[in-house]
Every structure is written in structure tokens, then in C-alpha cells.
Amino acid sequence: MSNETTLIFQHSRPGRSATAQAPKPVSEDQLSAIPASLRRKNKPGLPEVGELEVVRHYTNLSTKNFAIDKQFYPLGSCTMKYNPRGANRAAMLPGFLNRHPLAPASHSQGYLACMYELQNFLKEVTGMKGVSLAPMAGAQGEFAGVAMIRAYHEARGDDARTEILIPEAAHGTNPATAVMCGYKVREVPVGKNGDVDLEALKEACGPQTAGLMMTNPSTCGVFERQIEAISKAVHDAGGLLYYDGANLNAILGKVRPGDMGFDVIHMNLHKTFATPHGGGGPGAGPVGVSQRLLDYLPTPMAGRDEESGGSSGEYHWIDTDTLPTSIGHLSAFMGNAGVLLRAYFYAMVLGRQGMIRVGEYSTLAANYLLKRLEAIGCQAAYPDRRASHEFILTFAKLAKDQHVTALDIAKRLLDYNQHAPTIYFPLLVPECFLIEPTETETKEAMDDFVDAMEQILNEAKTDPETVTEAPFTQPVRRLDEVKAAKELDLVWSE
Amino acid sequence: MSEIPAELRYRDSHEWVRVEDDVAVVGITDHAQDSMGDLVFVEMPEVGVVFAAGDEAGVVESVKAASDIYAPVSGEVVAINEALEDEPELVNNEPYAGGWLFKIKMADSGELKEMLTADQYQEQIDSE
Amino acid sequence: MPYIPHTEDDVQAMLAAIGADSIEQLFDEIPAHLKAGSSLDALPEGQGEMEVTRLMADRAEQDRFALSFIGGGAYAHHIPAAVWEIATRGEYYTAYTPYQAEASQGTLQVIYEYQTLIARLTGMDVSNASVYDGASGLAEAVLMSLRANRKSKSRKVLVPEALNPRYRSACDAIVRNQDVELVSVPFCTDAGQTLVDGLKEHEGQDFAALVISQPNYFGSLEDVDALTDWAHANGMLVIAVVNPTSLALLTPPGEWGEQGADIVVGEGQPLGIPLSSGGPYFGFMACTKKHVRQMPGRIIGRTIDMEGKQGFTLTLQAREQHIRRSKATSNICTNQGLAMTAATIYTSLLGPDGLASVAGHCHANTQKLADKLCALDGVERAFTAPVFHEVALTLPQDADTVLAKLAEKDILGGLSLAKDYSMKNAILVNATEVHTEGDLDLFAQALKEVLA
């Protein structure tokens, strides 16, 4: 691991440059058409460095990251599965990389063919009637989904629907999305077994209900068993059902959201379809809809001549000129194409059997890891339930008895070269870990994690400071986040 | 055990009020600051704004949480604690003194009667 | 099994540890009849990496050759080989959002450096860690201006017609459900610019902000100082929409007018991101320090660890959805990490002089292209305003027809302005540093043939 702590700006020396990379300067004459009053007075303070320095600096910095390529990364709700290198190579083919987003369909048949097939693939795997690939991330997929629900009610003149119902265990994006779509949020309680409180839900439903947003399996890591009753209650009240695809990996190939009664779903391709997380993005959040929301899908989408009565087999764009009821464009162009191509590659490699195996083996891994961790003394939050593709542990007792918290254990795991699971989510389980091993990890990788946890639990009893002061082996120790928030230093200055 | 001065009035959302003539001095309780952790920012109302009791009046932020502050009584904001801009930790260190948030000129002092006494507030946090 | 490593022995050992007889048993909490629909018959059989790569290579080849002069918000630039060689290292490519700061110092420092270079390029105090793209970034900026402009009670923002129409429509789709109204400002049809004169009717009215695009969709350079001062005099914030390459030459928004712009957004694609059919790109977003708590998205801060050593961490998280839920500044969760990493490497390689040189070539080549095309009979510049690296031209014939004929010759001759501006005979063309003199001549020759 590198000790690089200097900033690229600190390597800068006036007049130094990566000479091979910039064209020769143009003469002032050639810039004479730009009025002097609009010209920059001082050149921007960008680094002036050589090519090797840049390569070395960013290579060294990279070594300070944990990553799936280096470590077990069981971050619950994030599906950190292997990101096939083949998908990266295929998406970086020059024909795809150099295609301008506004190139005419005549020069885009190869790309459109991939997108058209991916739409159909996702339709089948989710059991929905139509799919748009336009949303650029899960959160934007959520936005598109709720915006379609709103467009649907508005088109029917049903303007009394002002509320979106959300289980209290939901991810914070759900309520934030509902508000972005102009709705009020009503939270629905979750029972002790991780299922939604059905009676409370029924009471909350009414003529003001626009819809319900939920994940299944839920953020509690268990399958919502009353899903059909929930679906009925919301539909009977005139609301629509939104499926947050955060946990789709658990049921891929096993149960389809469309068959559970959902009207709209977003998928996180960077989770379920193995596209990379890239240190925080880009992702892609395609949306699928039932029959009644087809008219509102965001554009553009890929279409094929045969569908509209032709016979050439050519592909084209479907845009707002042919689908005027669409909620419209959510980006300047058509979403994160490069991510979609990676997902297409993954889907084509997996095929039908491979899709079914995703749900099966991610569930097998999670249930195995849960049993092993319970056997070394970890407390499951829902001990009587099957794990889905992920599960929750609670360290509330340890925190009370030994003053060792979930955060401490997470930090100590880093010293054992294990990425920590998601911590303190969902909020309703105290001192919790949300653990998701995924189907691509070996049994040995999971066993190593269990060994590390066992040692840490021992340390918590015999030598708690090793845990509460961890990590010791990383580039930095625990950081002063209060200082970071109080004395804002967001931009470097000499 | 957190401190709950007997002479103050409280809201169930953890604000306290100290009455100075017709002005209510507002802050958050020792219990509230303790459960938030180190505060890093306090968002204040502007002087001159008029609140009804229960209106959102500001926000206190720690690193991992943010909590709304509600106006405990109706009236006009006549002062804010400007020291908190640079030293939000005053709310942690002296929640009932230097860590006050803002002052409201009360429109109806009768509202005070509907607030919790120290004993009632103690009961409430015991039951949480 | 592709990407699943388990042997039959592994599976049996895991099932034994669980106490289950079969994998199917693990799904026993799911009502049986719900499972019936998922035989997935419409899906193809899986294939190996070799076969799928061949299929996609053939498809990519279909789209491969065309000489393109299309801009419209995404521009072809030379990308140094080192940019994506490094950005796709597994440590960047397969990491996630830096929740565990101690194990993510690489990504966190890159973001801090990125924030610094965006602030310096735009002349602003602070930057976030990026948003999805320029158009959605504008929507976030519009929503931010409603929160940040405390003097205004309005939910209306002034948006020039000369702003990229794709930005206008995406922005509208994102903000309209919150009762936000985007009010159009006309442009001068001679100059192709947004003039203060066109704003006069809104003098003294309550708007949260004025959007200023530099350059605008026609490539024209706006009088940003006058527009900025007018907005501030009328109690509005200024949202700048800028091209990052151009900022190596043009006045940064932080120095526009007397006080500078308040919020700056733009498409980051020109900074080392391939065209790749429209994404993934990234939107950059910067603002004055005063408004930082109203900015959406991830923000990284520099701090120290318990031993006093420099380190980086997520900060100001209380603005974000995972803490504030329904009261968050936005529902956005992450940033466009990988694209932003590539841009940081690109900008470091180019440096201030390199970027200025790229910008200079873009401008000079576009001027040259316009001159060559305008030498043809009946082709002329549509507007009089000076341009940066894109220019609107009127043709003696219907633009859509001409572009289709050019495409048959494998020349993508820009964008038609027919649909968005009812300028039936007008096209928008762009040239950058990647175009050679020979490329420009090919275009001119082809256009000559098409018009003949």
C-alpha cells in the first residue's frame, strides 16, 4: 500500500506538462473572434505535472482502496458481486465508445440492437410489460417510477391522491423520491418479525393514497410473506405498487415482481447485473411497468421496425414525438449507455439458467453465512426467519455489556482485510450489521470472514481497546468527522 | 442522568422554554443534545419571522443525524444566538445557558400551560 | 456456472450447515403459486465470454465508421491512454461509495482533488463530488436555487430558450412535480444571444434564479456580465451552465459581473469521457460557500485522524437522503465516481496550458469549418454573435434532408435546428481538436455534392 498523501496540486511546477497529451498552442490571432471581455484573466490553477507523475500518483492512490477485486465486500443492500472483466472490454469497444448519442439510427443499429434485447431481457426477468433503460441510477429509477404513478393518476383526473406509503424500514431514498415527485410521505410500521404491519397498512390506505413503495425481500433481509394481501389493500384503495429493486438479486429467476402484483419497478444494474460500482457510480436504474403505466415510460427507448408493422428488422428510437404521454427525458441523452452494455454482456453470458442461479446461490450463501455466524455467538435480528440474499445481525447486547459497538467491529474487520458490512441500516434494528455475501464468493471466503468475526468477538471480551480503537493497519486511523463538518475544508488552497 | 431544570417548560420534541417577561428563550434539552452527539451546525430562523406553536423553526445537525426544532410557542422571533454559528458545541456544553437557540416574543403566554413540566418531561424520556 | 464458484461438495456442505435438504427449501417462505410464472422461457441460453464478445464486437463494428461533426452537449476529444487504463484499475472500478473512510482513502482523495479542480476551473468556492450529468445537474441547481434564495418566495426560474433544448426538457421533467415553473427567455434572432433587453419584461418580478448558458446551444457567447448583474439587481440567483473545456479560455462564472454566479453546473463529458452513446458522463456542480448546505450530492472534506494525520471523509451528510429522508436536498445517493475519477486524471494530464490549447483548437477548427462551409453557395452563419466551438449555419435546402444525404456518405454533419427552433434550413456543427484539415475538407466537399 502506498503512503502517497501529497495532493496532485502539490506536485505542480510552473511550466511542467505532459507534453504528448496536448495539441500545440494556437496563436492569439486564431482566438481573435472571442471578445477580450469574455476571456479569462488568469489561467486556472490546475496541476502542472508530467505524465509519469500523474500515472504514479493515481496508481498509488488506488492502492489505498478496498475493492471487490481485492477483498470480500459483504456490504448489505449493495450486492457487491464480481464485475466481469469481459463486460468492461465489450463495452469499451471503439464502435460503442465513439458513437455520438445523437448519431442517426442509420449509424446506431448495433447499439440499438443490444438495447432492444436488454429491454426484452429485463421485461421477462421482472414479469413486466414494458421497460425503459433511461434512468441513470437507482434513485433516478425511483424518481421515474413515482413520476409515472403521478402521471397515471393525473391522466385519470384523480388529483386527490397526495400520499405515498413507505414502510418505516425503507431506505432513505424512498421518502426523498416521493417528495421530489410532489407527494407527502406516510410511514407504515414494521412488525417484530420483519413483515409490514398489515393492519396499520390497511388503515393508512385511502382515497389519498397514490401508491406504496417497498422492497421485497425487505430491507430487513426477509421475504415479505403478506405481499399479496398488501398488494390487494393498496390496489383496492386505488393506489399503485412500486417495487424498489434494491434486493432483486435475492429472487432473480425465482419470483417476478410483476407476478407479485407490482405496477412499477426499478432495477439497479450495478447490483443485480454485475456492473461496477466505480467508487460510487455510475450505475443504471431501468424501470419496468405493468400494462397501465406503459404510456408514461421515460424516453428514449429502443424500438424495432417489426413491432410497428414493418419488416426491415431495423431498430429505431422511441421518443416523445411518438409517445407524448411519456414523463420525458431524465438526462440530456439516453442514460448511462456504457453501464447498459455491461449489463447486456452479463445477461447474455448468464442466459436463462444463469439468471435462475443468481437468486438460488445468493440465497444459499446468505443462509450459510448466517448459520455460521450464529454458531460463533452472533445474534440474528430475525432468528426465526430464512435469510434472503442478505441478513441482519444485532450487537446491541455487546454494546451494552462491553461497550463495543457495531461501528467498532466494522472498523476492526478492516484490520482483518475484510470490508465491513453495511452498518446502522435499517435504522430500526439497534447496533446492526446488514450482510450480503453474494453468489460469486467461495465458501472459503465466507469462512475467512467468520474466522475474523470470531477473533474480533474474543478481542471484544479480552482486549476491547483493540476493537474500539481499530483500525490499526489502514492508511489512516479513525477520522475526526466532527472537525470535517465544522471546519469545512472541501477545496485545497496553498 | 440528564439535567432537567425544574423552572423550565418542555415540549415532547425536546425543546425547553425559559420565560423572561413576555419573551420565551428556546433551546434543546440536555437529553436531546446527548442523544444527538457533537453538534456541527445549527440552522436558525431569521429574526422577524412569525411562528405558530409547533412550526418548524430550525435544525440541529450532528455528523450522523439532523433533527428539526419546533417553535414551542407562537410569536415573533426577536433574537437568535449568533455565537452558535462558530460554536455549535455550546449546545452540547451548556444546553440551558450559552447554548440557547432563539427568543420568541410570545403572542399568547397561555400556551405555556400546555407545555410539559420538568417532572412530566422526565417521565416522557424515561418511557422512550 | 458462470461467475459462481461452488462445487457440488461446497453446496452440500453449505446446505448441511444450514440444515436444509435443498436450495429450493430456502425459498419456502415464498408462496408457492407466486413462483409459477418465472420459468423465463423468453430468455436465451447463456453463452461464454468468447461468443458474447464476438456478438458485441460485430454490433460495435456496425456503428463504427462515420466522420462526425455533431456536438449538442457531447464532444469528441482526444483522451490520453493513461486516463482509462488507470480509471479501470480494479481498486477504482470495483469499489463502492467510501462509507468506510479508512479503507477508501484512494477514492476520497481523488474526489477532494476533483472538487478542488472544479472549483478552480469555475472560479467558485466549493464543488460537490458530481451528479449524473449536465442536464439533471441543472434540475438539481434549479431546486437548489429555490432553497438558497431566501429573499425570494417564488417557485419560478428564468430559463433561456437558447439553452440546450435537451437540458430544458430534462430539467422540466425532473422539477415539474414540485410545482416549479421554468419561464422561457427569448433570444435575439439576429445575434443568437440572450439579451438583457429580452429580460426587461421581468424587471422587478420575483424569480428565484436566472439560468445563463455560456456558450449557449448555438455555440454563441453570451454577455454574461450584463446578464449576471441584471439578475442580481432583481434579487435572483445566477445559475451558470458552462462547458468545462471552454473555461480554460473564458471568464469563469465566479467572476461574472460584479458578484459572480451563485451556482455553476455543466456536463463533465469533455474532460476525458468518451462519447459512448450518451453516458456514463458526469455533471459537475459548484457554488459559493454561503450556499454549500443547500447543495445536493456527496461532498468530501479534509480532516485529521486520531493521530493528527491528514485524511479524507464524507461530510455534510445531514443534507442527504440516508439521514434526512423526506427532507433531504435530493434523492441522489452516489456520484458518478468512475467518470469523475477519469476527469481528474484527464485534467491533471492536460494542465492549464494543455486544456487552453485544446479549447483553442476547438475554437479555431470550428471557425475554419464555418469558413469552409460558408464558402459554398447559399450557406451562411445563422447568427452574428461570436462562438466558442459550435456554430449554427443556414443552408439553401431543408436541413433534415441534407443531413440524411450526408449520413449516406458516412458524414454526420451536425444537428438539425428544425424541430427545436423551427429553423427548417439550419444546422448546428462542431469541430474539436480531433478534426484534421482533411476532415474539414471532406465535410465541405460532401456538403457541396449534396447541395448541388
Side-chain angles (χ1 to χ4, degrees), chain A residues 76-94:
Chain A
S77 179
C78 299
T79 313
M80 303 299 284
K81 64 168 87 172
Y82 171 59
N83 307 141
R85 282 278 151 183
N88 184 49
R89 187 174 59 180
M92 302 280 268
L93 287 161

Side-chain angles (χ1 to χ4, degrees), chain B residues 41 43 46 56 59 61 64-66 68, chain C residues 150 293-294 316-319 323-324 327:
Chain B
F41 184 68
E43 186 182 310
E46 290 193 21
E56 286 173 17
V59 183
E61 286 180 18
K64 301 278 183 208
D68 289 317
Chain C
R150 290 198 166 198
R293 283 171 192 278
Q294 301 305 334
L316 294 178
Q317 293 187 72
R319 302 162 298 117
I323 290 179
R324 284 296 263 165
K327 289 181 177 161

Side-chain angles (χ1 to χ4, degrees), chain C residues 8 47 49 106-107 113 118 175 196 205 379:
Chain C
E8 189 50 40
Q47 302 173 61
E49 178 172 301
T107 290
E113 293 181 358
I118 291 297
V175 306
V196 169
Q205 295 177 355
V379 180

Side-chain angles (χ1 to χ4, degrees), chain C residues 247-301:
Chain C
L247 291 180
L249 290 181
L250 301 180
T251 309
E255 295 171 17
W256 289 359
E258 293 290 318
Q259 298 165 38
D262 302 280
I263 306 171
V264 181
V265 291
E267 176 55 69
Q269 178 273 332
L271 300 177
I273 315 302
L275 289 168
S276 66
S277 292
Y281 298 168
F282 71 93
F284 58 88
M285 187 165 200
C287 68
T288 54
K289 196 161 189 188
K290 181 177 164 195
H291 299 309
V292 65
R293 283 171 192 278
Q294 301 305 334
M295 186 150 62
R298 293 270 138 95
I299 297 175
I300 305 307

Side-chain angles (χ1 to χ4, degrees), chain A residues 23-24 40 45 57-58 65-66 97 99 107 111 117 228 254 279-280 385 411 475 477 480 489-490, chain C residues 24 29 33 38 59 63 92 100 102 107 112-113 120 249 276-277 303 307 309 334-335 357 361 410:
Chain A
K24 295 195 172 43
R40 189 165 189 132
H57 178 74
Y58 290 105
N65 277 356
F66 275 34
L97 278 195
R99 200 189 81 78
H107 287 69
Y111 175 71
E117 287 172 18
E228 289 165 290
K254 280 286 154 194
R385 301 292 306 272
K411 296 301 181 198
R477 301 286 303 278
D480 187 343
D489 176 356
L490 312 179
Chain C
E24 193 52 40
E29 290 189 0
H33 61 277
S38 55
R59 295 249 172 98
D63 299 351
Y92 291 128
Q100 296 293 339
E102 299 87 344
T107 290
Y112 180 80
E113 293 181 358
R120 290 179 172 199
L249 290 181
S276 66
S277 292
T303 183
E307 292 171 355
K309 195 173 163 192
T334 53
N335 61 335
S357 181
H361 277 270
D410 278 336

